[in-house]
Amino acid sequence: MKSYSNMKVYPKNWETSKKSVLKNWIVRYIFIDPKGVEQEATFKGMNHIKDHALRVQETKRLIEDEIYMLERGYNPKTKEYNDNSGLNLVNPSTLFLTACNICIESKDCVETTRTDMENSMKHITKYATKLGLHMKQIKDITKGDIKQLLLYMKNDKHSNYRINKTKSHLSACFTFFTELDIFQVNFVRGISKLPHESAKKEIIRTQEDWNKFHSIQHMNLNVYMFLYIFLFSGCRFEEMAKVKKEDVELEKSIFWIHLLKGGKHTRAMRAINLNSFKYWKIIYDRAKPGQYLFSHNQLPNDVPVKANSLYDLSAKYLRKAGLKITGYALKYSYLNLVANVYGIATAKELAGHTNEKTTKIYAVDYEMQQVEKNKNIDICI
């Protein structure tokens, strides 16, 4: 059954009147969604062309493109392709954007990673459409296509960070396609990253700022207890959101978190710092068996809270306290202190990092501290 009506261009004299280029053109049609509901759909994309004959030509091409996509399950309202089989499957003939979306949907990752990849897909969709890649089957996508997409982003003044992030997410998709034998190698890895230097991370360094942090206890004690626990945990919000009462062993001053890295689920032990122990005990004693410790209102509950909610709430109260930092800046602040006092190896173990290079991203003052220490090396020769 045909899922769309005939496409009509407005103004109606678009093909015959040269003066019509002074107006904005628009294509309208009726789209029938998978539930059988009729909805009006529209699109443009030709109005930047001022020559009448060229605009007519481009409009016809856009209509052909729209029909091509509609006949392959494209939904103009969701901007996605309907999977008529009921299964999310990728084969060499799957359209490029559809294949990427299926990869992201099926990827076993934490919530924030999936959200980040979905944000990148907005850019990928925009520039793939501009380049006509949205009509290419995945098997026909080349390294040059992906490079052109990234160059288009560069020309549109996207930051090197955003372009590199988009490339990284595309590479993750093409690893998936390579594992399906659609490609022999992941050629996206061979595309060079653009130079990017991260901005200096704002963290808590002074006693004045630590006093501001402690002032949160007078605003919302539950939030303060959670932030205090999070500060000394070395964990991520995703990991803290999933901690249940059974994951805590107060008598041993340890708790367990669930990690998801590289598509693998693991359970890892973390220390309950002596400074935060009293707050762990308060929350633990409030919780019933099976409850998540840090749920809505930072209280135990049967239903877990989303990591983004913890992130947003943390930022809100840190701003109220006069600190221009995010919740994750607390992790940076703590690991920075640990690295400076106990060394980078201890900070690495505390954070559960696999290499010191990652830990040094958090320990923002570590290299400077090492240089300062090296100035006092006293060797007489």
Side-chain angles (χ1 to χ4, degrees):
M1 177 180 174
K2 192 175 179 181
S3 63
Y4 59 94
S5 67
N6 292 333
M7 298 192 182
K8 297 180 180 180
V9 184
Y10 298 89
K12 292 183 178 180
N13 60 350
W14 64 284
E15 283 189 280
T16 58
S17 173
K18 291 184 178 181
K19 290 184 178 180
S20 65
V21 295
L22 299 176
K23 300 179 180 179
N24 281 333
W25 294 8
I26 187 169
V27 182
R28 300 180 185 277
Y29 65 96
I30 299 299
F31 169 73
I32 304 172
D33 69 18
K35 295 181 180 179
V37 178
E38 294 186 356
Q39 303 181 60
E40 184 182 67
T42 64
F43 64 89
K44 300 178 183 178
M46 73 292 284
N47 292 313
H48 63 287
I49 301 174
K50 303 307 177 185
D51 181 86
H52 179 259
L54 292 177
R55 189 186 287 194
V56 169
Q57 181 180 348
E58 177 64 7
T59 301
K60 291 180 178 180
R61 186 192 69 79
L62 290 171
I63 291 173
E64 289 178 358
D65 286 356
E66 191 81 359
I67 292 173
Y68 181 91
M69 293 188 295
L70 288 167
E71 290 180 349
R72 283 155 182 79
Y74 179 68
N75 185 322
K77 292 301 180 182
T78 63
K79 307 298 183 185
E80 297 176 350
Y81 287 82
N82 300 319
D83 181 16
N84 296 325
S85 68
L87 298 172
N88 279 337
L89 302 175
V90 175
N91 61 62
S93 298
T94 305
L95 294 178
F96 170 51
L97 294 179
T98 305
C100 290
N101 281 317
I102 291 174
C103 171
I104 294 172
E105 289 172 9
S106 62
K107 191 171 180 62
D108 198 2
C109 59
V110 297
E111 177 188 345
T112 51
T113 299
R114 189 180 313 283
T115 299
D116 207 14
M117 293 187 76
E118 289 171 350
N119 287 336
S120 285
M121 272 307 299
K122 294 176 183 177
H123 299 292
I124 294 167
T125 300
K126 175 181 177 180
Y127 293 100
T129 302
K130 286 179 177 290
L131 292 166
L133 303 181
H134 62 302
M135 297 176 62
K136 292 186 74 170
Q137 297 175 351
I138 186 61
K139 66 180 176 63
D140 296 325
I141 294 292
T142 66
K143 182 178 181 180
D145 289 332
I146 301 302
K147 181 65 177 179
Q148 290 283 6
L149 187 151
L150 298 174
L151 285 173
Y152 213 141
M153 291 183 66
K154 180 72 173 177
N155 291 339
D156 269 4
K157 309 301 181 183
H158 284 280
S159 67
N160 286 2
Y161 172 81
R162 170 44 57 194
I163 295 170
N164 288 339
K165 180 68 73 172
T166 302
K167 172 191 172 296
S168 175
H169 291 152
L170 278 168
S171 182
C173 289
F174 275 80
T175 294
F176 176 69
F177 304 147
T178 302
E179 291 171 350
L180 292 174
D181 281 337
I182 295 173
F183 300 101
Q184 291 187 342
V185 295
N186 178 358
F187 51 70
V188 178
R189 289 178 179 171
I191 298 175
S192 301
K193 282 188 174 182
L194 298 176
H196 168 70
E197 186 174 340
S198 299
K200 186 73 171 179
K201 189 72 178 178
E202 291 298 324
I203 63 173
I204 300 179
R205 291 186 174 87
T206 66
Q207 187 58 51
E208 180 184 358
D209 281 347
W210 282 116
N211 290 339
K212 289 179 180 178
F213 169 73
H214 293 307
S215 72
I216 296 175
Q217 65 185 304
H218 305 300
M219 304 177 197
N220 189 319
L221 183 57
N222 290 337
V223 171
Y224 176 73
M225 287 194 294
F226 168 73
L227 291 179
Y228 204 88
I229 289 171
F230 176 73
L231 167 68
F232 287 100
S233 70
C235 296
R236 300 187 298 172
F237 286 121
E238 291 92 345
E239 295 156 359
M240 297 301 290
K242 295 178 181 177
V243 175
K244 291 185 174 183
K245 183 166 185 172
E246 288 73 18
D247 295 322
V248 179
E249 299 180 42
L250 284 179
E251 69 281 3
K252 297 180 181 178
S253 288
I254 63 171
F255 68 103
W256 296 84
I257 60 172
H258 298 273
L259 296 173
L260 176 55
K261 291 186 177 180
K264 295 181 179 179
H265 292 267
T266 58
R267 197 164 180 255
M269 179 170 52
R270 294 288 184 265
I272 294 177
N273 185 273
L274 58 90
N275 292 287
S276 62
F277 183 89
K278 60 180 179 181
Y279 294 131
W280 273 102
K281 188 174 188 314
I282 290 173
I283 300 297
Y284 181 87
D285 288 344
R286 288 177 178 177
K288 297 177 181 178
Q291 287 190 325
Y292 296 91
L293 295 191
F294 312 106
S295 187
H296 303 284
N297 298 319
Q298 286 60 65
L299 294 172
N301 197 289
D302 295 332
V303 181
V305 71
K306 289 187 177 180
N308 284 341
S309 297
L310 293 175
Y311 180 89
D312 293 340
L313 188 77
S314 301
K316 173 184 174 181
Y317 277 91
L318 289 166
R319 285 196 302 270
K320 279 189 174 183
L323 295 167
K324 296 179 180 179
I325 60 174
T326 65
Y328 270 117
L330 295 176
K331 181 176 180 179
Y332 281 78
S333 300
Y334 181 52
L335 292 180
N336 188 59
L337 286 171
V338 172
N340 292 341
V341 177
Y342 294 98
I344 198 71
T346 301
K348 168 180 168 289
E349 182 180 357
L350 175 68
H353 293 153
T354 56
N355 59 72
E356 292 184 359
K357 182 178 179 181
T358 302
T359 310
K360 287 178 180 178
I361 295 174
Y362 290 85
V364 294
D365 294 335
Y366 179 73
E367 289 187 1
M368 179 58 70
Q369 291 285 345
Q370 290 303 111
V371 170
E372 291 298 320
K373 290 178 181 178
N374 292 341
K375 291 178 182 178
N376 297 318
I377 294 175
D378 186 11
I379 297 178
C380 295
I381 56 174

